[in-house]
Amino acid sequence: MKLMVIGGGGREHALAWRLSKSPRVQKVYVAPGNGGTATEPDLENVALDAVNDPDGLVRFLKDNEVAFTVVGPEAPLAAGLVDRLESEGLKVFGPRKAAAQLEASKDFAKQFMARYNIPTAGYQTFTDPAAACDYAKEQAERFPGLPIVIKADGLAAGKGVVVAASLEEAHQAIADMLTANKLGSAGSRVVIEDFLQGQEASFMVVCDGKSAFALATSQDHKRIGDGETGPNTGGMGAYSPAPVVTPKVYAQVMREVIRPVLKGMQAEGTPYKGFLYAGLMIQNEQAKVVEFNCRMGDPETQPIMMRMKGDLVGLLEAAINGRLEQAESLADSLWDVRPAVGVVLAAAHYPEAPQLGDSITGIPKDTADTKVFHAGTSLSEEGLVSSGGRVLCVTSLGGKLKEAQAAAYQAIGPIQFNGMQYRKDIAAKGMG
């Protein structure tokens, strides 16, 4: 069979690579793909813009008899691409536009969680800058010494969250979003949340509208600098599994988060099919939802796909056909017991204004336990060059987390491009 993956980042490279490992798969198309997917055996880039040219995508899928499509990033989901493909009789894995509001609108997600008693932080939503600043001041007085969390309501490529350490920072973030319009329409409404303390973890499941199948747990590293310093990014590295997700936490999240989402979405006439990502904050073995994403995380997908041994194609087919409960037998054999670590190599000046077009050299060849997934790369006449803020994700398996971490950093050694930056402490949290 032939498959299609929509997107061009590291998540899509990892998904397409893992799908291509199925003996049932002849080829995986990636639209638009990147420099890594362009040279990967059994993958083929297609110069299609799924958001702006859905007609062209539909024609391609029909002409090439693609069995099903996996939508990687959030923008096509929020734009209703799944609705369009399904209306054409095409099979696709991902939530429809109405369900994708769980990520596309922070305010929608918070109201949804309130309706279904899903544990999350207290919040208020604002469009008026003065009212937002007044509320931030109240929060600073109620919770002295704790940061104030300001979130853009809409999609902001992972950069719409400010954890303000002072009232002045909170007021500046509000002004940037509501007055200066620095995030465009995504920041025309803001959600101000209570600060949750604890450890973050990523909990992702495959959904078929009624049932959920949990993937391996993981932990992301959002800030640009070691020790969680500097501005938020789309993610600077990840590891799997996340020890903070104990069996007790796992059971609580399935019971109080995942199942209520599925039941709530069904009750509201928008059954949820696709990847569902609950970003959690865990303290004293109790989890609260920081946010929902309607796709897999990036860079968490890379170590999760490295650990996956079982049949991703069969799992997604079962979800598309509403038969996910039949996939439960896959659970025990799906994962390599070894942990995996992925370290993101980012462009100079990322995340503010990443430098593009730099030549990339020294990428090591794949081994059984190490792979370099591409994100912001493209092929030019001069060779491989950077084309995005997060350029590569070097991902390794190891017998223990420390060994996986060491292998990933060793593989980074020969890689070079101008201004390359990366964190030196990815997975340190998982080692205690």
Side-chain angles (χ1 to χ4, degrees), residues 175-205:
D176 286 346
M177 294 182 198
L178 292 182
T179 305
N181 201 33
K182 286 192 175 179
L183 294 177
S185 60
S188 62
R189 184 165 53 177
V190 300
V191 172
I192 302 180
E193 287 187 352
D194 298 347
F195 178 75
L196 294 176
Q197 298 185 74
Q199 270 204 70
E200 286 194 66
S202 304
F203 196 100
M204 289 176 248
V205 297

Side-chain angles (χ1 to χ4, degrees), residues 206 213 215 308 311-319 324 327 330 334:
V206 171
F213 182 96
L215 300 175
M308 180 173 270
D311 183 17
L312 180 60
V313 173
L315 183 63
L316 299 189
E317 273 185 318
L324 200 52
L330 293 172
L334 198 58

Side-chain angles (χ1 to χ4, degrees), residues 6 18 53 86 98 106 164 174 203 248 299 306 310 316 355 398:
I6 302 296
R18 177 49 64 195
D53 186 18
E86 288 186 340
K106 297 288 192 297
I174 291 165
F203 196 100
K248 180 180 176 182
M306 278 294 285
L316 299 189
Q355 180 174 299

Side-chain angles (χ1 to χ4, degrees), residues 48-340:
L48 278 171
D49 183 334
V51 173
N52 295 313
D53 186 18
D55 292 343
L57 176 62
V58 167
R59 283 195 300 273
F60 182 91
L61 296 174
K62 290 183 176 180
D63 290 347
N64 290 277
E65 299 180 336
V66 172
F68 67 84
T69 297
V70 180
V71 184
E74 61 273 23
L77 297 170
L81 181 62
V82 170
D83 308 57
R84 175 63 197 281
L85 296 186
E86 288 186 340
S87 74
E88 296 282 349
L90 294 164
K91 290 192 172 185
V92 55
F93 183 70
R96 291 184 172 184
K97 183 176 183 177
Q101 288 183 91
L102 275 178
E103 178 171 7
S105 169
K106 297 288 192 297
D107 181 59
F108 173 89
K110 292 300 256 188
Q111 290 191 45
F112 181 88
M113 284 187 271
R115 286 197 296 277
Y116 295 99
N117 299 310
I118 295 169
T120 188
Y123 80 104
Q124 291 288 337
T125 302
F126 300 91
T127 55
D128 177 62
C133 286
D134 287 345
Y135 182 75
K137 184 180 178 184
E138 291 172 17
Q139 291 296 91
E141 292 168 351
R142 281 180 64 207
F143 304 107
L146 286 183
I148 302 163
V149 182
I150 317 294
K151 294 183 176 181
D153 177 58
L155 298 175
K159 302 176 189 70
V161 179
V162 175
V163 182
S166 66
L167 183 58
E168 292 72 26
E169 283 185 37
H171 284 171
Q172 185 61 54
I174 291 165
D176 286 346
M177 294 182 198
L178 292 182
T179 305
N181 201 33
K182 286 192 175 179
L183 294 177
S185 60
S188 62
R189 184 165 53 177
V190 300
V191 172
I192 302 180
E193 287 187 352
D194 298 347
F195 178 75
L196 294 176
Q197 298 185 74
Q199 270 204 70
E200 286 194 66
S202 304
F203 196 100
M204 289 176 248
V205 297
V206 171
C207 304
D208 69 357
K210 310 179 298 294
S211 306
F213 182 96
L215 300 175
T217 61
S218 56
Q219 190 168 51
D220 187 13
H221 298 67
K222 281 292 184 192
R223 291 183 180 269
I224 189 72
D226 290 354
E228 298 303 326
T229 57
N232 268 334
T233 71
M236 291 300 295
Y239 63 97
S240 172
V244 71
V245 183
T246 63
K248 180 180 176 182
V249 170
Y250 176 96
Q252 182 225 337
V253 174
M254 291 299 292
R255 181 179 67 250
E256 298 181 13
V257 178
I258 303 302
R259 292 187 188 112
V261 168
L262 292 175
K263 288 180 181 176
M265 282 284 170
Q266 271 192 301
E268 297 187 7
T270 55
Y272 193 99
K273 180 187 72 180
F275 292 117
L276 176 64
Y277 168 140
L280 307 174
M281 187 66 77
I282 301 167
Q283 187 176 44
N284 299 325
E285 289 197 286
Q286 286 293 309
K288 290 187 176 182
V289 176
V290 176
E291 64 180 3
F292 285 118
N293 292 324
C294 293
R295 33 76 190 184
M296 287 194 76
D298 188 343
E300 298 99 318
T301 302
Q302 290 87 312
I304 289 174
M305 290 298 107
M306 278 294 285
R307 291 188 62 219
M308 180 173 270
K309 296 192 304 178
D311 183 17
L312 180 60
V313 173
L315 183 63
L316 299 189
E317 273 185 318
I320 289 169
N321 296 322
R323 298 175 186 149
L324 200 52
E325 69 280 354
Q326 296 175 6
E328 288 301 320
S329 60
L330 293 172
D332 292 338
S333 61
L334 198 58
W335 307 109
D336 193 316
V337 296
R338 296 175 296 167

Side-chain angles (χ1 to χ4, degrees), residues 5-13 30-35 37 73 298 374-377 387:
V5 173
I6 302 296
R11 166 185 50 231
E12 289 76 38
H13 187 181
V30 191
N34 56 42
T37 55
D298 188 343
H374 291 233
T377 71
S387 60

Side-chain angles (χ1 to χ4, degrees), residues 349-415:
H349 313 307
Y350 177 77
E352 290 85 5
Q355 180 174 299
L356 310 180
D358 289 311
S359 175
I360 305 165
T361 60
I363 295 178
K365 290 184 178 179
D366 292 352
T367 69
D369 294 340
T370 295
K371 182 168 182 64
V372 179
F373 293 105
H374 291 233
T377 71
S378 60
L379 289 176
S380 71
E381 291 180 2
E382 292 75 36
L384 190 69
V385 297
S386 61
S387 60
R390 293 184 295 166
V391 180
L392 302 166
C393 184
V394 182
T395 310
S396 294
L397 290 160
K400 294 184 177 179
L401 191 58
K402 190 174 184 67
E403 294 166 6
Q405 181 197 53
Y409 281 108
Q410 184 177 4
I412 289 169
I415 302 174

